[in-house]
């Protein structure tokens, strides 16, 4: 008998629609898998067994009576634990909010619930989303399903581990400097950071208001498209929300990339990179060339400012949000998080303004690139998943901080607000996933998804399973 938890969202949806099994059976299978594997992985902070079972029974009644809401009806998902859920503890991975019970749902949570998804629980994360590794002194370390002695990446660490290990069929993550795409790459799943303003952040604990994005994490590109469909759209409660029409994302998954122009930046992305990762990324590019896409070398000179600009903006904006707590409760933060928040309080306004000018320069330059290409293709990370506590890595003849190796390819697309997605493109010789990043024009998630899906359908990396 097929383990129902190994199905994709699209597969489970079709089989439930044809009544091959019920939401009750699917939820029970997911809860049993969580009970078996979560003690090893530590992907969930809170599991909602009774609530999920009740919701599954309600979904079964609706589907059986012809009231199916759509492809997500009855699908078990989980939310990163900074997404407010009414009546359910929402810790943001912190000690400070360990007992916080929201009175309302975040917009993302309510939209996914309206689409018929069933919430299994709340997922582990870096404290207040401030870190790329998944380490958390308050709730323990999340473990990578491909190698329990490796990190998952963060800050959406629980989301990456839970989807990769089939504890849920899909998850929601957030991304300020790569926090959807890093764990997606390191855990071998599909993760999409939509355009800034495409998905509401109302009810999501902020890290950096001008860089934060919310988006889907799933086993396949098609599943990510289905989740994004439910999540996307204007929300007056989010001041950064964009009033733009939401296309049919799944309909864009044609499998055809003929005539599309892929841009490969000459600078920045390939300057310091693990050879195995570089080789897998170039092979991925050649696959797409073979499918009929053209490949173009492009120049984006201001990328050299990305690390500096992103660091200053995050430091300043995070410290502004945490101003009261870091002054009155510094001992309640993880030490490295407290240190970065204190640094942010010392930044002069002039540094923040200069960083925003550098950001504007990056936006102007990348806007010119869209005259030459339709998407940009890069590595998702400079390396595969490192060991916990591994602060520096040797790449070629150069030493690089692990933090920078994870964040470096991500930051340009948070600074510019562009949609960007990581999909599996290979494995290292030690069996660790490698991610390929595809980024597109503002609000052109359809083309990003189309390219990612076409690549995915002509490779089998996404079919490999851990555990």
């Amino acid at each position: 008998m097929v383990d129902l938890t190994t199905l994709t969202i699209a597969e489970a949806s079709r089989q439930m629609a044809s009544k091959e099994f019920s939401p009750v059976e699917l939820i029970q299978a997911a809860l049993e898998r969580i009970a078996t594997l979560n003690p090893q992985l530590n992907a969930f902070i809170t599991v909602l067994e009774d609530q999920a079972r009740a919701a599954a029974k309600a979904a079964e009644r609706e589907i059986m009576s012809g009231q199916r809401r759509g492809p997500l009806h009855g699908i078990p998902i989980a939310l990163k634990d900074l997404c407010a859920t009414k009546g359910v503890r929402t810790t943001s991975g912190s000690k400070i909010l360990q007992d916080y019970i929201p009175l309302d749902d975040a917009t993302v949570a309510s939209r996914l619930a309206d689409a018929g998804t069933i919430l299994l629980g709340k997922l582990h994360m870096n404290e207040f989303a401030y870190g790329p590794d998944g380490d958390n002194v308050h709730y323990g370390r999340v473990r990578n399903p491909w190698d329990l002695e490796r990190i998952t990446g963060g800050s959406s660490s629980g989301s990456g581990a839970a989807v990769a290990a089939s504890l849920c069929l899909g998850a929601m993550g957030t991304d300020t400097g790569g926090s959807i795409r890093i764990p997606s790459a390191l855990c071998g799943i599909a993760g999409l950071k939509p355009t800034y303003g495409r998905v509401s952040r109302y009810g999501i604990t902020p890290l950096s208001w001008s860089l934060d994005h919310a988006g889907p994490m799933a086993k396949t590109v098609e599943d990510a498209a289905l989740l994004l469909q439910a999540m996307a759209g204007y929300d007056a409660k989010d001041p950064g929300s964009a009033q733009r029409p939401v296309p049919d994302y799944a309909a864009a998954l044609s499998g055809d990339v003929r005539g599309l122009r892929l841009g490969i930046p000459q600078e920045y992305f390939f300057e310091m990179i693990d050879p195995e990762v570089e080789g897998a990324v170039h092979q991925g590019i050649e696959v797409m060339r073979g499918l009929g896409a053209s490949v173009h070398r492009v120049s984006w000179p201001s990328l050299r400012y990305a690390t500096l600009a992103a660091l200053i903006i995050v430091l300043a904006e995070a410290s502004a949000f945490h101003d009261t707590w870091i002054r009155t409760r510094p001992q309640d933060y993880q030490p490295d998080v407290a240190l970065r928040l204190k640094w942010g309080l010392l930044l002069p306004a002039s540094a923040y303004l200069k960083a925003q000018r550098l950001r504007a320069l990056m936006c102007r330059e990348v806007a010119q690139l869209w005259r030459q290409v339709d998407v940009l293709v890069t590595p998702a990370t400079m390396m595969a998943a490192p060991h916990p506590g591994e602060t520096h890595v040797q790449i070629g003849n150069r030493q690089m901080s692990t933090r920078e190796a994870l964040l470096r390819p991500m930051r340009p697309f948070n600074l510019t607000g562009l949609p960007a997605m990581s999909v599996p493109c290979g494995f290292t010789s030690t069996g660790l996933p490698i991610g390929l990043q595809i980024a597109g024009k503002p609000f052109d998630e359809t083309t990003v998804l189309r390219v990612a899906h076409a690549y995915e359908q002509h490779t089998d990396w996404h079919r490999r399973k851990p555990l």
Side-chain angles (χ1 to χ4, degrees), residues 3-8 29-34 37 41 44 76 120 145 159-170 189 219 465-467:
D3 181 349
L4 299 183
T5 65
T6 64
L7 297 173
T8 67
L31 290 172
E32 289 175 0
R33 191 165 179 85
I34 291 170
L37 295 179
L41 299 174
F44 280 82
L120 294 173
S159 302
V163 172
S166 296
L167 305 189
C168 57
L169 270 60
I189 64 171
K219 297 177 182 179
K465 306 298 180 187
L467 299 174

Side-chain angles (χ1 to χ4, degrees), residues 10-92:
E11 290 167 345
S13 177
R14 287 191 289 269
Q15 291 182 34
M16 281 194 290
S18 62
K19 299 182 174 55
E20 294 178 45
F21 59 84
S22 73
V24 171
E25 294 171 283
L26 181 57
I27 294 302
Q28 182 59 34
L31 290 172
E32 289 175 0
R33 191 165 179 85
I34 291 170
T36 300
L37 295 179
N38 196 57
Q40 300 175 54
L41 299 174
N42 198 27
F44 280 82
I45 290 178
T46 301
V47 179
L48 302 171
E49 291 188 40
D50 294 341
Q51 180 176 314
R53 287 193 176 96
K57 291 178 181 177
E60 183 176 54
R61 288 193 296 270
E62 290 179 347
I63 292 171
M64 294 298 290
S65 63
Q67 301 176 57
R68 184 170 180 264
R69 302 185 199 180
L72 297 181
H73 203 172
I75 297 296
I77 66 159
L79 303 174
K80 187 175 181 179
D81 203 26
L82 48 47
C83 181
T85 40
K86 184 178 180 179
V88 175
R89 184 174 70 142
T90 301
T91 70
S92 296

Side-chain angles (χ1 to χ4, degrees), residues 303-316:
L303 281 174
R304 64 184 183 272
Y305 304 123
T307 295
L308 177 62
L311 178 63
I312 291 172
I313 291 169
V314 172
L315 283 171

Side-chain angles (χ1 to χ4, degrees), residues 67 77 101 118 139 145 158 177 211 326 341 392 397 430 437 446:
Q67 301 176 57
I77 66 159
I101 309 294
I118 296 173
Y139 302 93
L211 298 174
I326 194 58
L341 292 173
H392 288 78
N397 60 357
T430 55
Q437 181 170 225
T446 51

Side-chain angles (χ1 to χ4, degrees), residues 94-116:
S94 71
K95 180 178 179 181
I96 288 174
L97 295 179
Q98 63 184 350
D99 298 317
Y100 172 52
I101 309 294
L103 299 177
D104 294 295
D105 281 330
T107 298
V108 164
S110 61
R111 286 181 175 174
L112 286 168
D114 289 345

